[in-house]
Protein backbone atom coordinates (compact mmCIF):
# COMPACT_ATOMS: atom_id res chain seq x y z
CA UNK A 1 0.00 0.00 0.00
CA UNK A 2 1.45 3.37 -1.01
CA UNK A 3 0.38 6.55 0.76
CA UNK A 4 1.37 10.14 0.04
CA UNK A 5 1.28 13.20 2.23
CA UNK A 6 -0.62 16.09 0.65
CA UNK A 7 1.56 18.73 2.28
CA UNK A 8 5.09 17.34 2.15
CA UNK A 9 4.72 14.91 -0.78
CA UNK A 10 6.37 12.29 1.44
CA UNK A 11 5.69 8.71 0.29
CA UNK A 12 5.01 5.90 2.72
CA UNK A 13 4.92 2.24 1.71
CA UNK A 14 3.30 0.03 4.35
CA UNK A 15 1.32 -3.19 4.58
CA UNK A 16 -2.43 -3.26 5.12
CA UNK A 17 -2.23 -4.32 8.81
CA UNK A 18 0.28 -1.52 9.50
CA UNK A 19 -2.06 0.92 7.75
CA UNK A 20 -5.01 -0.19 9.94
CA UNK A 21 -2.93 0.39 13.09
CA UNK A 22 -1.27 3.65 12.12
CA UNK A 23 -4.34 5.31 10.60
CA UNK A 24 -7.04 3.90 12.91
CA UNK A 25 -8.26 7.36 13.92
CA UNK A 26 -8.44 8.59 10.31
CA UNK A 27 -10.20 5.38 9.23
CA UNK A 28 -12.80 5.84 11.96
CA UNK A 29 -13.40 9.46 10.91
CA UNK A 30 -13.74 8.47 7.26
CA UNK A 31 -16.12 5.63 8.10
CA UNK A 32 -18.35 7.86 10.23
CA UNK A 33 -18.54 10.41 7.43
CA UNK A 34 -19.30 7.64 4.91
CA UNK A 35 -21.96 6.21 7.23
CA UNK A 36 -23.70 9.58 7.64
CA UNK A 37 -23.67 10.13 3.89
CA UNK A 38 -25.13 6.70 3.18
CA UNK A 39 -27.86 7.09 5.79
CA UNK A 40 -28.88 10.45 4.33
CA UNK A 41 -28.80 9.10 0.80
CA UNK A 42 -30.78 5.93 1.49
CA UNK A 43 -33.01 6.92 4.37
CA UNK A 44 -35.78 4.65 3.09
CA UNK A 45 -33.44 1.65 2.98
CA UNK A 46 -31.58 1.59 6.30
CA UNK A 47 -28.51 -0.60 6.06
CA UNK A 48 -26.93 -2.32 9.03
CA UNK A 49 -23.44 -1.35 10.15
CA UNK A 50 -21.86 -4.61 8.96
CA UNK A 51 -22.88 -4.19 5.34
CA UNK A 52 -21.93 -0.51 5.46
CA UNK A 53 -18.51 -1.33 6.85
CA UNK A 54 -18.03 -4.02 4.19
CA UNK A 55 -18.91 -1.54 1.43
CA UNK A 56 -16.60 1.08 2.96
CA UNK A 57 -13.60 -1.27 2.99
CA UNK A 58 -14.50 -2.73 -0.43
CA UNK A 59 -13.79 0.71 -1.93
CA UNK A 60 -11.23 1.74 0.65
CA UNK A 61 -9.06 3.85 -1.65
CA UNK A 62 -11.88 6.14 -2.78
CA UNK A 63 -13.65 6.27 0.58
CA UNK A 64 -10.53 7.00 2.63
CA UNK A 65 -9.39 9.69 0.21
CA UNK A 66 -12.77 11.42 -0.07
CA UNK A 67 -14.39 10.95 3.33
CA UNK A 68 -11.27 11.11 5.49
CA UNK A 69 -9.83 14.21 7.03
CA UNK A 70 -6.15 13.36 6.78
CA UNK A 71 -3.03 14.85 5.24
CA UNK A 72 -2.33 11.38 3.85
CA UNK A 73 -4.07 9.82 0.91
CA UNK A 74 -3.89 6.35 -0.58
CA UNK A 75 -2.17 6.41 -3.93
CA UNK A 76 -2.12 2.68 -4.61
CA UNK A 77 -3.27 -0.48 -2.85
Amino acid sequence: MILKNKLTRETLEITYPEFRKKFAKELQTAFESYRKTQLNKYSYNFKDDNSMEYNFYFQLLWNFNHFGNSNWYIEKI
Side-chain angles (χ1 to χ4, degrees), residues 22-63:
K22 188 170 184 170
F23 293 95
K25 184 178 169 185
E26 289 88 346
L27 276 169
Q28 185 63 34
T29 302
F31 176 70
E32 288 302 319
S33 178
Y34 171 81
R35 184 175 180 277
K36 287 177 186 175
T37 302
Q38 293 303 312
L39 290 176
N40 287 334
K41 192 185 299 183
Y42 302 113
S43 60
Y44 63 90
N45 185 14
F46 183 79
K47 297 180 179 184
D48 64 344
D49 281 341
N50 291 333
S51 65
M52 254 192 249
E53 190 171 1
Y54 172 78
N55 289 336
F56 174 79
Y57 285 107
F58 183 71
Q59 297 178 337
L60 179 63
L61 189 140
W62 196 91
N63 289 328

Side-chain angles (χ1 to χ4, degrees), residues 65-76:
N65 291 346
H66 290 86
F67 288 109
N69 189 14
S70 176
N71 288 332
W72 293 91
Y73 67 93
I74 302 172
E75 187 174 63
K76 183 178 177 184

